[in-house]
Amino acid sequence: MSWAQTFPALGEDTLRSLRQGIDGTFREFTREHGETLERLFDPLREFLLASERLLTTSPWPLVVLGLAALIWLATRSWRIVAGALAALLLVGAFGMWDDLMKTLSMIFVSTVVALVAGIPVGVLMSRSDRVQRWVNPLLDVMQTLPSFVYLIPVVMLLGIGRVPGLIAVVIYAIPPIIRFTNLGIRLVSRDLLEAADAFGSSGWQKLRQVQLPLALPTIMAGVNQTIMMALSMVVIASMIGVQGLGQPVLRAITNQYFAMGLFNGLAIVAIAVLFDRVSQAYGRRLQKHQGVNHG
């Protein structure tokens, strides 16, 4: 029964040849198309740098007031605004303001890119069962693959820096917005769609004027999850040059600086709670608004 105790794996030579073949193919692709891909992502780099410059060079009182105004417009809750102000001022008081602004710019840009890329995919899935059957397994893989694995092909293609980190964050964070967009549109009542058909609405008009507005609360839940996943990737992406609150945490791990890791970790938690409360409050407002409209 000794054969049953050792799994009959492929031979070491076979496995080595397989790994070398995959690595060699990928390296060849990188040598041939790496510069082209870098130029392709230049607009993304400029967008990220502009966002970062705006937050880091603006006077901090102006940034705080601007963020407070945006939070108020989204939530209409003075309690959430007060909590956000307290969190921002506390993080700044501990000397982490610049890192906080860089993290916020990374989260903002990665979320925008994820929404621009993910919502059309979700819409397409909602309109085709065949597309849904093909995309769902891919999303399952993306959500279960260890986050460190995303860094390997990105670094091999684009090297180390902000843009590779941004791409890794987007890939890691995009599945929720795709899934929730698909779900929200599919949950729209058939009666409303039939009523839109009765008024002679085209497919684009139904999507823009009926399906997307009614699916917006569900889509906002996807936005919430996308932001949370992007923020959770900040520390991991710091390994390939993404600046922000993640890099001090990485230094604290490598040098055993407990206080530095604790303070920056708590800052990340504070920002995560802030984003979560704001996006949830905005989603609840949308649900109430939709309820009033239907009523």
Side-chain angles (χ1 to χ4, degrees):
M1 294 293 291
S2 60
W3 62 270
Q5 296 175 351
T6 303
F7 192 88
L10 295 174
E12 185 63 29
D13 292 339
T14 303
L15 290 174
R16 186 184 302 109
S17 298
L18 179 62
R19 288 193 292 263
Q20 290 176 349
I22 295 173
D23 291 342
T25 301
F26 197 81
R27 290 194 184 96
E28 184 65 26
F29 178 84
T30 301
R31 283 193 293 269
E32 291 182 2
H33 304 287
E35 292 184 4
T36 303
L37 289 173
E38 288 182 8
R39 288 195 296 270
L40 182 65
F41 290 114
D42 279 345
L44 198 58
R45 178 185 289 105
E46 294 302 320
F47 182 27
L48 178 59
L49 290 175
S51 173
E52 190 174 299
R53 282 195 298 268
L54 177 64
L55 289 177
T56 55
T57 61
S58 299
W60 71 264
L62 188 61
V63 174
V64 170
L65 290 176
L67 291 174
L70 289 175
I71 293 170
W72 163 252
L73 291 174
T75 64
R76 295 293 196 275
S77 170
W78 287 113
R79 186 176 64 178
I80 295 179
V81 171
L85 288 176
L88 291 172
L89 295 176
L90 189 61
V91 170
F94 277 86
M96 296 179 283
W97 183 259
D98 285 343
D99 286 337
L100 172 63
M101 292 300 101
K102 292 174 182 177
T103 297
L104 289 179
S105 66
M106 172 62 70
I107 299 303
F108 168 70
V109 174
S110 60
T111 301
V112 169
V113 174
L115 296 183
V116 170
I119 289 178
V121 177
V123 171
L124 188 60
M125 287 177 64
S126 70
R127 301 173 76 88
S128 171
D129 291 336
R130 176 178 295 180
V131 173
Q132 181 176 243
R133 286 194 298 269
W134 279 98
V135 175
N136 269 334
L138 179 61
L139 296 178
D140 292 338
V141 172
M142 292 171 67
Q143 289 188 290
T144 55
L145 199 66
S147 52
F148 287 96
V149 178
Y150 290 107
L151 304 181
I152 300 172
V154 172
V155 170
M156 291 181 69
L157 283 172
L158 301 173
I160 293 177
R162 291 181 176 87
V163 173
L166 175 64
I167 295 171
V169 171
V170 170
I171 295 173
Y172 183 73
I174 201 173
I177 190 61
I178 297 176
R179 289 189 186 277
F180 278 82
T181 300
N182 174 40
L183 176 64
I185 293 176
R186 286 179 178 271
L187 289 177
V188 174
S189 171
R190 291 186 177 275
D191 293 337
L192 293 174
L193 297 179
E194 291 174 358
D197 288 332
F199 282 102
S201 299
S202 64
W204 168 249
Q205 288 174 326
K206 283 194 298 182
L207 177 65
R208 184 170 59 86
Q209 299 177 359
V210 179
Q211 291 174 301
L212 284 178
L214 293 177
L216 199 54
T218 305
I219 294 174
M220 276 305 303
V223 173
N224 173 275
Q225 292 301 306
T226 294
I227 293 173
M228 293 298 103
M229 294 186 70
L231 193 54
S232 70
M233 191 72 174
V234 166
V235 177
I236 297 172
S238 66
M239 298 175 62
I240 59 172
V242 172
Q243 298 182 358
L245 293 170
Q247 284 199 336
V249 174
L250 185 62
R251 288 199 302 271
I253 293 172
T254 56
N255 297 288
Q256 298 182 7
Y257 296 150
F258 175 71
M260 178 188 290
L262 178 63
F263 290 157
N264 283 271
L266 290 176
I268 293 173
V269 170
I271 299 306
V273 172
L274 171 60
F275 276 124
D276 183 62
R277 295 294 184 270
V278 171
S279 57
Q280 283 193 13
Y282 184 59
R284 286 194 295 269
R285 284 190 59 224
L286 288 175
Q287 286 180 330
K288 291 180 181 179
H289 179 70
Q290 296 294 352
V292 170
N293 285 344
H294 288 312

